[in-house]
Amino acid sequence: MTVFLKDPGYNERVLGGETVQVVYIDRLFLLNVLVDYLLLLTAARLAGVPLRRRRLILSALLGGAYAVAVYLPGCSVLGHPVCKMLSGLAMALLAYRPQAGRLRLIALFALLSAALAGVLLALDLLSGSPRQ
């Protein structure tokens, strides 16, 4: 009988006989900052409000820091769905200054984020990637 060993992927390492996933914090931070900025910018453009790019960048940096914090030891509670929603709300409150249509902007940001998550989930399921 031939036994084939599973070859770990590019971001997996075998430690003590167990396969663990390696997360590159710098890439995680930069990707999240970029995506968060684009989502915030798109919501503002769709709503037709004046842009405050400095506020958008600060908010995107907050989102990137949150994404990194989720993977830090002892911070796993930040991965809870309620914490994720609160961080998105904090990002939107920081990005969009108090104005009449602020609630609409926050809802638009949430809808765009959910739509992106749905598209990425669909692409992942269509790719047929194995589940663990």
Side-chain angles (χ1 to χ4, degrees), residues 33-74:
V33 168
L34 177 66
V35 170
D36 290 340
Y37 178 76
L38 291 175
L39 284 170
L40 291 163
L41 179 68
T42 303
R45 289 256 170 111
L46 287 174
V49 299
L51 298 176
R52 302 280 189 251
R53 291 193 189 265
R54 188 174 297 153
R55 292 178 72 105
L56 295 180
I57 291 170
L58 286 174
S59 181
L61 288 171
L62 174 69
Y66 171 78
V68 168
V70 169
Y71 285 97
L72 295 177

Side-chain angles (χ1 to χ4, degrees), residues 15 66 121 125 127 129:
L15 295 174
Y66 171 78
L121 177 63
L125 293 174
S127 73
S129 61

Side-chain angles (χ1 to χ4, degrees), residues 7-124:
D7 190 27
Y10 81 97
N11 65 335
E12 295 177 339
R13 301 290 181 263
V14 178
L15 295 174
E18 193 173 322
T19 303
V20 294
Q21 184 176 9
V22 176
V23 177
Y24 298 99
I25 297 294
D26 56 343
R27 292 180 184 183
L28 176 70
F29 178 76
L30 291 174
L31 179 65
N32 273 276
V33 168
L34 177 66
V35 170
D36 290 340
Y37 178 76
L38 291 175
L39 284 170
L40 291 163
L41 179 68
T42 303
R45 289 256 170 111
L46 287 174
V49 299
L51 298 176
R52 302 280 189 251
R53 291 193 189 265
R54 188 174 297 153
R55 292 178 72 105
L56 295 180
I57 291 170
L58 286 174
S59 181
L61 288 171
L62 174 69
Y66 171 78
V68 168
V70 169
Y71 285 97
L72 295 177
C75 295
S76 60
V77 71
L78 294 175
H80 192 274
V82 173
C83 289
K84 289 180 181 183
M85 288 189 298
L86 289 175
S87 72
L89 179 63
M91 285 174 51
L93 289 173
L94 177 63
Y96 308 122
R97 63 184 176 87
Q99 55 193 6
R102 190 178 198 186
L103 185 59
R104 187 179 81 184
L105 276 168
I106 293 171
L108 190 54
F109 172 67
L111 286 173
L112 287 171
S113 298
L116 178 62
V119 167
L120 293 176
L121 177 63
L123 289 174
D124 184 49

